[in-house]
Amino acid sequence: MALPKKNKFILVAIAAVMIALGFFQEQAKVNVNFILEKGAQIPGFFNQDTSTKLELLGAEKSKSNFDYYYSHESIDWLYTLNQGQLSKLKWIITFVSIATFSLLNVLALRFLAFNAKEIKLFLLVEGICISLALATFVFGKIIHQNEMVYPTVRGIMGIVQSPVLVLIFIPAKKLFNRSF
Protein backbone atom coordinates (compact mmCIF):
# COMPACT_ATOMS: atom_id res chain seq x y z
CA MET A 1 0.00 0.00 0.00
CA ALA A 2 1.50 3.31 -1.11
CA LEU A 3 1.44 6.22 1.30
CA PRO A 4 -0.30 9.47 0.30
CA LYS A 5 2.04 12.37 -0.57
CA LYS A 6 0.82 14.26 2.49
CA ASN A 7 1.94 11.39 4.74
CA LYS A 8 5.35 11.25 3.05
CA PHE A 9 5.84 14.98 3.60
CA ILE A 10 4.83 14.68 7.27
CA LEU A 11 7.16 11.69 7.73
CA VAL A 12 10.06 13.68 6.29
CA ALA A 13 9.22 16.53 8.67
CA ILE A 14 9.08 14.12 11.64
CA ALA A 15 12.45 12.66 10.59
CA ALA A 16 13.97 16.16 10.36
CA VAL A 17 12.68 17.03 13.83
CA MET A 18 14.07 13.74 15.18
CA ILE A 19 17.49 14.44 13.69
CA ALA A 20 17.59 18.00 15.05
CA LEU A 21 16.36 16.87 18.46
CA GLY A 22 18.95 14.07 18.50
CA PHE A 23 21.80 16.51 17.87
CA PHE A 24 20.47 19.00 20.44
CA GLN A 25 19.97 16.27 23.03
CA GLU A 26 23.48 14.89 22.44
CA GLN A 27 25.06 18.34 22.67
CA ALA A 28 23.27 19.04 25.96
CA LYS A 29 24.11 15.64 27.48
CA VAL A 30 27.76 15.77 26.43
CA ASN A 31 28.07 19.23 27.99
CA VAL A 32 26.38 18.18 31.25
CA ASN A 33 28.42 14.96 31.49
CA PHE A 34 31.65 16.80 30.70
CA ILE A 35 31.05 19.37 33.44
CA LEU A 36 29.99 16.73 35.98
CA GLU A 37 32.85 14.34 35.25
CA LYS A 38 35.72 16.77 34.73
CA GLY A 39 34.46 19.24 37.35
CA ALA A 40 34.37 16.50 39.99
CA GLN A 41 38.08 15.88 39.35
CA ILE A 42 38.98 19.48 40.23
CA PRO A 43 38.89 20.21 43.99
CA GLY A 44 36.34 22.94 44.80
CA PHE A 45 35.25 23.24 41.17
CA PHE A 46 31.53 23.51 41.91
CA ASN A 47 32.17 26.30 44.46
CA GLN A 48 33.76 28.53 41.80
CA ASP A 49 32.04 31.30 39.87
CA THR A 50 30.89 30.72 36.30
CA SER A 51 33.87 32.35 34.57
CA THR A 52 36.35 30.38 36.68
CA LYS A 53 34.54 27.12 35.90
CA LEU A 54 34.63 27.95 32.17
CA GLU A 55 38.34 28.75 32.41
CA LEU A 56 39.19 25.58 34.36
CA LEU A 57 37.36 23.26 31.98
CA GLY A 58 38.48 25.24 28.93
CA ALA A 59 42.02 24.24 29.86
CA GLU A 60 40.82 20.62 30.10
CA LYS A 61 39.26 20.81 26.62
CA SER A 62 42.45 22.08 25.02
CA LYS A 63 44.19 18.81 25.96
CA SER A 64 42.29 16.80 23.39
CA ASN A 65 41.01 18.69 20.35
CA PHE A 66 39.94 15.60 18.42
CA ASP A 67 37.81 13.85 21.03
CA TYR A 68 34.12 14.79 20.71
CA TYR A 69 33.73 14.64 24.47
CA TYR A 70 36.33 17.40 24.73
CA SER A 71 35.90 19.30 21.49
CA HIS A 72 32.17 20.05 21.63
CA GLU A 73 31.02 23.64 21.84
CA SER A 74 30.28 24.72 25.40
CA ILE A 75 26.81 25.67 26.55
CA ASP A 76 28.00 28.41 28.88
CA TRP A 77 24.86 28.78 31.01
CA LEU A 78 25.33 25.21 32.25
CA TYR A 79 28.39 26.43 34.16
CA THR A 80 26.09 28.52 36.37
CA LEU A 81 24.60 25.31 37.80
CA ASN A 82 25.96 23.36 40.74
CA GLN A 83 26.64 19.63 40.78
CA GLY A 84 23.18 18.69 42.11
CA GLN A 85 21.40 20.88 39.58
CA LEU A 86 23.44 19.39 36.72
CA SER A 87 22.62 15.85 37.88
CA LYS A 88 18.90 16.72 37.98
CA LEU A 89 19.15 18.40 34.57
CA LYS A 90 20.68 15.22 33.15
CA TRP A 91 17.59 13.27 34.30
CA ILE A 92 15.24 15.96 33.00
CA ILE A 93 16.91 15.88 29.58
CA THR A 94 16.61 12.08 29.56
CA PHE A 95 12.91 11.95 30.44
CA VAL A 96 11.94 14.86 28.17
CA SER A 97 13.82 13.13 25.35
CA ILE A 98 12.02 9.85 26.01
CA ALA A 99 8.63 11.56 26.05
CA THR A 100 9.36 13.61 22.93
CA PHE A 101 10.74 10.69 20.94
CA SER A 102 7.83 8.49 22.06
CA LEU A 103 5.41 11.07 20.71
CA LEU A 104 7.34 11.49 17.45
CA ASN A 105 7.69 7.71 17.05
CA VAL A 106 3.95 7.15 17.55
CA LEU A 107 3.19 9.96 15.09
CA ALA A 108 5.51 8.36 12.55
CA LEU A 109 3.82 4.99 13.04
CA ARG A 110 0.39 6.55 12.58
CA PHE A 111 1.45 8.21 9.32
CA LEU A 112 2.95 4.87 8.24
CA ALA A 113 -0.54 3.38 8.60
CA PHE A 114 0.15 1.28 11.71
CA ASN A 115 -3.10 0.37 13.47
CA ALA A 116 -3.90 0.95 17.16
CA LYS A 117 -2.93 -2.61 18.14
CA GLU A 118 0.48 -2.27 16.47
CA ILE A 119 1.08 1.08 18.16
CA LYS A 120 0.17 -0.44 21.54
CA LEU A 121 2.68 -3.21 20.87
CA PHE A 122 5.29 -0.55 20.04
CA LEU A 123 4.56 1.25 23.33
CA LEU A 124 4.75 -2.07 25.20
CA VAL A 125 8.20 -2.78 23.73
CA GLU A 126 9.27 0.74 24.62
CA GLY A 127 7.99 0.24 28.17
CA ILE A 128 9.89 -3.05 28.43
CA CYS A 129 13.08 -1.28 27.34
CA ILE A 130 12.61 1.45 29.96
CA SER A 131 11.80 -1.14 32.65
CA LEU A 132 14.87 -3.16 31.71
CA ALA A 133 17.07 -0.06 31.89
CA LEU A 134 15.64 0.93 35.28
CA ALA A 135 16.00 -2.62 36.64
CA THR A 136 19.62 -2.70 35.46
CA PHE A 137 20.25 0.71 37.06
CA VAL A 138 18.75 -0.46 40.39
CA PHE A 139 20.71 -3.71 40.19
CA GLY A 140 23.92 -1.69 39.71
CA LYS A 141 23.07 0.38 42.78
CA ILE A 142 22.35 -2.73 44.86
CA ILE A 143 25.61 -4.44 43.96
CA HIS A 144 27.55 -1.14 44.12
CA GLN A 145 28.65 -1.48 40.48
CA ASN A 146 27.13 1.68 38.94
CA GLU A 147 30.09 2.14 36.61
CA MET A 148 29.84 -1.44 35.36
CA VAL A 149 26.13 -1.28 34.42
CA TYR A 150 26.08 2.35 33.22
CA PRO A 151 27.00 1.54 29.57
CA THR A 152 24.17 -1.00 29.40
CA VAL A 153 21.64 1.41 30.92
CA ARG A 154 22.82 4.19 28.62
CA GLY A 155 22.53 1.95 25.56
CA ILE A 156 19.01 0.81 26.40
CA MET A 157 17.92 4.36 27.20
CA GLY A 158 19.43 5.50 23.90
CA ILE A 159 17.06 3.16 22.08
CA VAL A 160 13.98 4.89 23.54
CA GLN A 161 15.46 8.34 22.92
CA SER A 162 15.69 7.79 19.18
CA PRO A 163 13.80 6.36 16.20
CA VAL A 164 15.55 2.98 16.56
CA LEU A 165 12.41 1.07 17.58
CA VAL A 166 10.40 2.56 14.70
CA LEU A 167 13.16 1.50 12.32
CA ILE A 168 12.82 -2.03 13.69
CA PHE A 169 9.01 -2.04 13.61
CA ILE A 170 8.72 -0.98 9.95
CA PRO A 171 10.47 -4.04 8.45
CA ALA A 172 9.00 -6.27 11.19
CA LYS A 173 5.50 -5.29 10.09
CA LYS A 174 6.36 -5.97 6.44
CA LEU A 175 7.79 -9.38 7.31
CA PHE A 176 4.81 -10.20 9.50
CA ASN A 177 2.35 -9.18 6.77
CA ARG A 178 4.19 -11.29 4.18
CA SER A 179 4.13 -14.31 6.47
CA PHE A 180 0.37 -14.16 7.00
Side-chain angles (χ1 to χ4, degrees):
M1 179 174 108
L3 291 174
K5 267 190 171 177
K6 176 184 158 193
N7 285 18
K8 289 178 184 177
F9 175 78
I10 292 170
L11 286 167
V12 168
I14 290 170
V17 169
M18 285 180 170
I19 291 168
L21 179 61
F23 279 113
F24 176 76
Q25 163 194 297
E26 185 66 16
Q27 179 75 2
K29 284 183 180 179
V30 166
N31 267 274
V32 169
N33 286 336
F34 180 79
I35 297 167
L36 283 170
E37 184 181 315
K38 298 301 176 187
Q41 295 172 0
I42 300 170
F45 175 83
F46 291 102
N47 297 325
Q48 303 296 322
D49 63 34
T50 302
S51 61
T52 304
K53 289 180 192 176
L54 279 161
E55 189 178 311
L56 288 168
L57 290 189
E60 194 66 33
K61 280 184 177 190
S62 67
K63 292 179 184 175
S64 182
N65 301 2
F66 303 106
D67 182 345
Y68 180 71
Y69 193 63
Y70 288 85
S71 65
H72 62 275
E73 190 173 322
S74 292
I75 300 175
D76 292 352
W77 68 267
L78 291 174
Y79 289 81
T80 65
L81 303 176
N82 64 37
Q83 193 170 14
Q85 291 168 324
L86 285 167
S87 292
K88 287 176 187 166
L89 180 59
K90 186 175 173 178
W91 284 103
I92 291 168
I93 292 168
T94 297
F95 289 114
V96 167
S97 293
I98 290 169
T100 304
F101 271 102
S102 292
L103 175 67
L104 290 169
N105 285 330
V106 167
L107 278 172
L109 292 174
R110 289 189 50 82
F111 283 102
L112 286 165
F114 277 65
N115 64 40
K117 192 182 237 183
E118 294 164 334
I119 291 173
K120 284 180 184 176
L121 178 61
F122 171 84
L123 292 171
L124 175 65
V125 170
E126 194 172 66
I128 289 169
C129 288
I130 293 169
S131 298
L132 184 60
L134 290 173
T136 305
F137 177 78
V138 169
F139 178 70
K141 288 277 189 198
I142 291 169
I143 65 169
H144 305 290
Q145 295 294 321
N146 296 348
E147 298 300 318
M148 184 180 79
V149 300
Y150 182 73
T152 302
V153 172
R154 186 174 173 180
I156 296 168
M157 293 301 279
I159 290 169
V160 296
Q161 295 175 74
S162 71
V164 168
L165 286 178
V166 166
L167 295 174
I168 292 169
F169 265 65
I170 294 168
K173 179 180 179 173
K174 288 184 181 197
L175 285 172
F176 182 79
N177 287 343
R178 271 194 210 146
S179 298
F180 296 99

